[in-house]
Amino acid sequence: MSLAPVLKVVRTHWRPSPEIIEAASTAVSKLFGIQKFIAVHWRFEETKCRGVGTLLPEDRQRKADYNREELSAEKNMEIVGNGPLCLYSVRSVGDSKLVKLITVTTEEAGNLLNQVKESANITNVFFSTDVNPDLGRSFLQELRETTNVKMMRDLPRDWSTAYAFFLNHSDVTSRLEQEICTRSTIFIGTSSSSWTQTVKRQRELAHSVKNDTMLDHLIEDYTLRQ
């Protein structure tokens, strides 16, 4: 039995609206022109990562000098690295899943992204994250300075006639960012994120997943090599 009819239905089902497609095309053109780009999605798991690192406000976290052994036992998972930024990481090991909290510094994250850029010979990076811009301001600013990543905020105000609409509807903006990530040459997501999984499914349907990977896996491997 041929799977072609099934794939045709699935592709149609996952296709974004014409407005999103048009907006994504305009956004990519404004940010990168016709050049290739890497897309990164960093999902900050504020609930699962609470007590790990120092990014969250003081009233929502423990002190930075937390006892790693006690916290690791409490969360029933291994904590990898010594940085202030946290990712909730899931890896498949045989029939089971291995869950860890991966911590990293902004410098380490920047160095890793620059290594990926150099290896792929691609200078452009689109960065999507759910971190609150006010809470993560220093992190985002440092990452932008060291890796030259681009975000939705880098688009000119006149990039779209629907600019105000996107600005006031985060759910629509999120869907737009997913479509932008779908068009990237390489996609680096967060393993535990359903947002990332949606992008992966879209890219798989477009047959563009050859070099895709997960940010938390890259960071864990990177920190273990240091």
Side-chain angles (χ1 to χ4, degrees):
M1 176 181 174
S2 173
L3 292 178
V6 178
L7 291 176
K8 182 178 180 180
V9 171
V10 172
R11 287 194 180 95
T12 302
H13 175 73
W14 283 108
R15 184 177 300 158
S17 68
E19 292 78 11
I20 291 293
I21 291 176
E22 180 181 358
S25 297
T26 303
V28 170
S29 177
K30 293 286 187 181
L31 290 173
F32 309 118
I34 61 173
Q35 297 181 337
K36 295 179 179 179
F37 68 98
I38 299 168
V40 178
H41 174 233
W42 186 325
R43 172 76 167 93
F44 278 86
E45 294 279 4
E46 293 190 355
T47 301
K48 297 182 177 69
C49 283
R50 185 173 299 173
V52 180
T54 58
L55 185 64
L56 301 182
E58 285 297 328
D59 62 345
R60 297 187 58 194
Q61 66 166 26
R62 298 187 182 193
K63 293 181 179 179
D65 59 349
Y66 58 84
N67 185 299
R68 290 175 65 89
E69 289 73 22
E70 290 182 3
L71 190 58
S72 179
E74 176 186 318
K75 292 180 176 291
N76 194 31
M77 64 185 71
E78 181 182 355
I79 300 175
V80 178
N82 295 291
L85 308 174
C86 173
L87 292 102
Y88 180 73
S89 178
V90 180
R91 285 199 187 197
S92 296
V93 182
D95 295 330
S96 60
K97 291 188 180 297
L98 185 63
V99 180
K100 298 181 181 181
L101 291 182
I102 312 299
T103 66
V104 64
T105 65
T106 307
E107 181 181 5
E108 289 172 333
N111 289 340
L112 177 60
L113 285 181
N114 282 329
Q115 286 182 13
V116 172
K117 290 168 58 179
E118 182 177 357
S119 176
N121 194 28
I122 297 175
T123 58
N124 299 307
V125 178
F126 178 74
F127 192 75
S128 177
T129 181
D130 63 327
V131 67
N132 185 302
D134 294 325
L135 304 182
R137 188 181 302 279
S138 60
F139 154 67
L140 292 174
Q141 182 61 32
E142 185 176 343
L143 193 65
R144 286 155 64 89
E145 290 175 354
T146 57
T147 65
N148 196 33
V149 298
K150 300 296 184 182
M151 303 177 68
M152 289 293 293
R153 68 178 69 178
D154 293 306
L155 287 164
R157 294 187 65 89
D158 62 349
W159 76 275
S160 169
T161 55
Y163 175 85
F165 179 79
F166 285 115
L167 190 67
N168 295 310
H169 294 80
S170 59
D171 54 334
V172 180
T173 301
S174 176
R175 186 66 190 88
L176 172 58
E177 289 188 330
Q178 285 180 316
E179 177 61 19
I180 293 174
C181 288
T182 299
R183 301 180 181 209
S184 64
T185 303
I186 298 174
F187 175 60
I188 303 175
T190 303
S191 64
S192 63
S193 167
S194 59
W195 196 100
T196 280
Q197 298 307 317
T198 296
V199 174
K200 281 187 60 180
R201 284 192 290 268
Q202 288 182 266
R203 290 176 62 79
E204 287 167 357
L205 292 172
H207 308 293
S208 57
V209 298
K210 181 178 178 181
N211 297 310
D212 289 0
T213 186
M214 292 296 132
L215 182 63
D216 41 292
H217 299 172
L218 285 176
I219 288 179
E220 179 182 10
D221 294 342
Y222 176 84
T223 56
L224 292 176
R225 292 197 306 268
Q226 302 308 300

